[in-house]
Every structure is written in structure tokens, then in C-alpha cells.
């Protein structure tokens, strides 16, 4: 699993993942869903160095994580969120808005290098 490469020894709350995944899946167009695992692998391959730096600075083992921010980086779904922020930012924002805390998504925007979307 690619996530374990970036967030070594991270323990995550499956409940939070269960909250986020149903919001993310509809943001992936139905016609792209079968091929999405490959697309996610391509994203990880393309942005591997950037992801390593992101998880080192903001991930679950980072000093900043102790302050309770960037908590989604402690979850494998963070890779899907980052991919969607890159490929379909506005669709992600529309699907997310009102469904999950804005802070969860906006906490990933700045470190990923984009303006907050909510």
C-alpha cells in the first residue's frame, strides 16, 4: 500500500476513514471508477517526492501533528483527497461542503500548495 510508504507506523481511526470515503467516492466520475486505482497509483508515482516531504512535515509522525491539525494525513484516504485536490478540486469542494468539517479539507490545501477550497 502506497500510504504506508509515507506514513510509517501511523495508526488511524477507521471511523474517520468511514466518514470520509463515502464523500470521496461520488467525486470520482462513474466512468472513471474502474480505472481509478491505477490513476491513484499514477498520482503517487508522479508526486512521490512531494508526498514524502508533505508527510514528513505535516503527517502523523510530525511535530505539527501533536497540535491536532492535518489529521487526515493520518489516514490512507488522504492520498485520494490529495489526488482529487489536484485533479478535480472544485468537484471535491462541492461534494465535501456541508458533509464533513471544512477544516479537514482546508488543512490539506495549504501544505499541498493550493488555496483553501471551503
Amino acid at each position: 500500500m502506497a500510504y504506508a510508504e509515507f506514513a510509517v507506523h501511523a495508526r488511524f481511526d477507521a471511523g474517520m476513514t468511514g466518514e470520509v470515503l463515502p464523500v470521496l467516492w461520488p467525486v470520482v466520475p462513474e466512468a472513471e471508477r474502474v480505472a481509478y486505482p491505477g490513476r491513484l497509483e499514477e498520482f503517487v508515482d508522479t508526486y512521490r517526492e512531494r508526498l514524502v516531504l508533505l508527510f514528513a512535515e505535516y503527517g502523523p509522525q510530525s511535530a505539527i501533528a501533536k497540535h491536532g491539525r492535518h489529521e487526515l494525513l493520518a489516514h490512507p484516504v488522504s492520498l485520494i483527497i490529495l489526488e482529487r485536490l489536484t485533479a478535480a478540486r472544485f468537484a471535491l469542494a462541492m461534494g465535501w461542503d456541508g458533509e464533513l468539517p471544512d477544516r479537514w479539507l482546508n488543512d490539506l490545501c495549504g501544505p499541498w500548495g493550493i488555496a483553501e477550497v471551503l
Side-chain angles (χ1 to χ4, degrees):
M1 170 189 255
Y3 174 75
E5 177 182 341
F6 306 113
V8 179
H9 306 297
R11 292 188 181 149
F12 61 91
D13 174 12
M16 187 178 203
T17 298
E19 287 180 65
V20 175
L21 202 52
V23 172
L24 294 177
W25 194 235
V27 177
V28 177
E30 196 168 325
E32 296 177 20
R33 291 181 185 172
V34 171
Y36 188 75
R39 181 183 182 118
L40 191 57
E41 282 182 40
E42 288 175 22
F43 170 79
V44 170
D45 288 344
T46 300
Y47 292 99
R48 185 171 309 282
E49 289 180 33
R50 189 172 170 190
L51 289 165
V52 167
L53 294 173
L54 176 80
F55 278 89
E57 189 167 346
Y58 298 96
Q61 304 301 324
S62 69
I64 201 165
K66 294 177 176 96
H67 301 289
R69 300 300 303 254
H70 309 95
E71 58 198 306
L72 279 176
L73 289 175
H75 299 271
V77 294
S78 61
L79 293 177
I80 299 170
I81 296 167
L82 293 168
E83 186 278 331
R84 292 285 83 191
L85 278 172
T86 303
R89 176 181 326 165
F90 299 111
L92 176 61
M94 288 177 56
W96 191 285
D97 193 25
E99 297 295 321
L100 296 168
D102 294 353
R103 181 179 57 83
W104 287 359
L105 183 58
N106 287 331
D107 272 358
L108 296 182
C109 290
W112 193 240
I114 61 172
E116 291 184 355
V117 294
L118 295 173

